[in-house]
Amino acid sequence: MVATAAASAFFPVGAPATSSATSAKASMMPDNLDARGIKPKPASSSGLQVKANAHASPKINGSKVSTETLKGEDTLTSSPAPRTFINQLPDWSMFLAAITTIFLAAEKQWTNLDWKPRRPDMLADPFGIGRFMQDGLIFRQHFAIRSYEIGADRTASIETLMNHLQETALNHVRSAGLLGDGFGATPEMSRRDLIWVVTRMQVLVDRYPAWGDIVEVETWVGASGKNGMRRDWLVRDSQTGEILTRATSVWVMMNKRTRRLSKIPEEVRGEIGPFFIENVAIIEEDNRKLQKLHENTADNVRRGLTPRWSDLDVNQHVNNVKYIGWILESAPGSILESHELSCMTLEYRRECGKDSVLQSMTAVSGGGSAAGGSPESSVECDHLLQLEGGPEVVRGRTEWRPKSANNSRSILEMPAESS
């Protein structure tokens, strides 16, 4: 109807009611009368009648009238008005009414739309790639915890958190304009075939986020000795500001071709040096020596672990996050069911490639039912990931705390499963 009203403003058409009235009126007249109510004369004598009365004065009600007067009256009644620019303009009142109708209909449709999400905290990554804080020295990025990133406890897994840390670090380098051709390498590093490799990492988890939560990850870098770089992270709940995870790591350079460690060239130091700050995420680091395990001293051993093609990164070695999953492969099931990982310290000793075959070993060193203690007590485990019959790949130590009943919050927020 809106389109009809708008069209009629520019293209007036005859009213249907008028046509109906005219037709009805014509049907009521006698057959010998025309539409004007005048009886026509036979066509055979019309020509003679006109010729005979050519010079006679017409009479109306017995009075003679001038022929010029009749011609003028006939012209006024039958001739249409001259077509000019003015009388061809559309009816602007109808045009304005049509425009008003359109806007009112659009406004009604707009207000009927439900623009408010039912759970605003479940928006998918609404904050983009991230932004710099504190004069460009700290980089912050937000992540939404998605359904495929949670584990059996319906909270984010430790691998999910580690992937968030790694993604934020790479976006930090890219946003700073230091990303070269390599995986997180600067332009000067790419010219020298240098890449970053992690040698040590410590992670403290105070609380795991649940599905639908949005977390903000902050990262920054600093110097670590003469030839190392330190990178730290803080993970917070974006709504409350509560600190969920703290992490710190040490990185060194390795030649991509020779696979040997390298010193930091001065050109590279000039690129990354302006971004170094003195700030630590973990004040009291766990500097205890990590124990070496053997098959006869380990409580659980998992053999035959092989990397898949998807486990390799662009530098053609296994991603460091994958090592964490392999380490937990040998953790006792009783601990995984009753406890959650609260602290993890890892030492990366060498890399492994796509053809490597590894074994994972775990020894429970204290607390928990797996070590003969109470299930409500904390548990500490030592780990070793090594090539089968070969050198060590990763040493580690994990601490586990009993799962809190308050963690059922995330379970109650999950939708009911369909039968």
Side-chain angles (χ1 to χ4, degrees), residues 336-351:
L336 297 176
E337 293 176 359
S338 60
H339 291 68
E340 64 180 9
L341 182 63
S342 60
C343 180
M344 176 176 61
T345 304
L346 303 175
E347 285 184 0
Y348 295 85
R349 295 179 172 264
R350 64 173 293 129
E351 62 177 345

Side-chain angles (χ1 to χ4, degrees), residues 186-189 191-192 264-273:
T186 66
E188 290 294 336
M189 291 175 61
R191 294 187 184 97
R192 293 165 173 78
I264 300 180
E266 290 300 323
E267 293 81 0
V268 177
R269 197 181 301 275
E271 289 178 321
I272 62 178

Side-chain angles (χ1 to χ4, degrees), residues 38-243:
I38 300 175
K39 180 178 181 180
K41 293 186 177 183
S44 59
S45 60
S46 61
L48 296 176
Q49 186 70 21
V50 171
K51 184 176 180 180
N53 297 333
H55 301 285
S57 299
K59 295 181 179 182
I60 299 178
N61 296 330
S63 301
K64 294 183 177 181
V65 295
S66 173
T67 307
E68 299 296 328
T69 305
L70 289 177
K71 291 182 178 179
E73 292 177 357
D74 184 67
T75 304
L76 290 175
T77 40
S78 60
S79 299
R83 298 176 62 85
T84 63
F85 173 78
I86 298 299
N87 61 20
Q88 294 187 56
L89 289 176
D91 189 351
W92 293 107
S93 62
M94 294 186 63
F95 175 74
L96 294 177
I99 293 296
T100 304
T101 304
I102 293 174
F103 275 102
L104 290 177
E107 183 181 8
K108 183 177 180 180
Q109 293 295 329
W110 186 270
T111 55
N112 287 338
L113 293 177
D114 186 12
W115 293 101
K116 297 180 180 180
R118 296 184 178 182
R119 286 196 58 186
D121 57 325
M122 294 184 67
L123 293 176
D125 197 14
F127 301 94
I129 190 174
R131 60 194 180 99
F132 282 96
M133 314 290 295
Q134 296 188 11
D135 299 328
L137 298 178
I138 296 179
F139 183 76
R140 175 185 292 176
Q141 184 173 354
H142 291 75
F143 295 92
I145 306 301
R146 308 179 191 276
S147 59
Y148 53 82
E149 295 175 327
I150 61 176
D153 297 328
R154 300 188 178 183
T155 57
S157 62
I158 185 63
E159 291 92 339
T160 295
L161 298 181
M162 298 298 293
N163 283 325
H164 289 170
L165 302 186
Q166 180 172 272
E167 180 69 12
T168 307
L170 292 174
N171 288 332
H172 180 201
V173 177
R174 180 171 64 176
S175 300
L178 297 178
L179 188 63
D181 296 333
F183 194 52
T186 66
E188 290 294 336
M189 291 175 61
S190 299
R191 294 187 184 97
R192 293 165 173 78
D193 292 327
L194 297 176
I195 59 176
W196 289 111
V197 292
V198 60
T199 60
R200 184 178 177 88
M201 178 172 288
Q202 183 177 357
V203 182
L204 299 178
V205 182
D206 294 330
R207 181 173 69 83
Y208 287 89
W211 174 40
D213 290 345
I214 295 179
V215 298
E216 59 180 29
V217 184
E218 294 181 356
T219 185
W220 61 90
V221 292
S224 178
K226 294 182 179 180
N227 292 298
M229 182 185 73
R230 177 191 182 105
R231 178 174 285 279
D232 290 67
W233 295 270
L234 277 180
V235 181
R236 293 188 176 92
D237 188 307
S238 64
Q239 293 186 347
T240 64
E242 173 193 0
I243 295 179

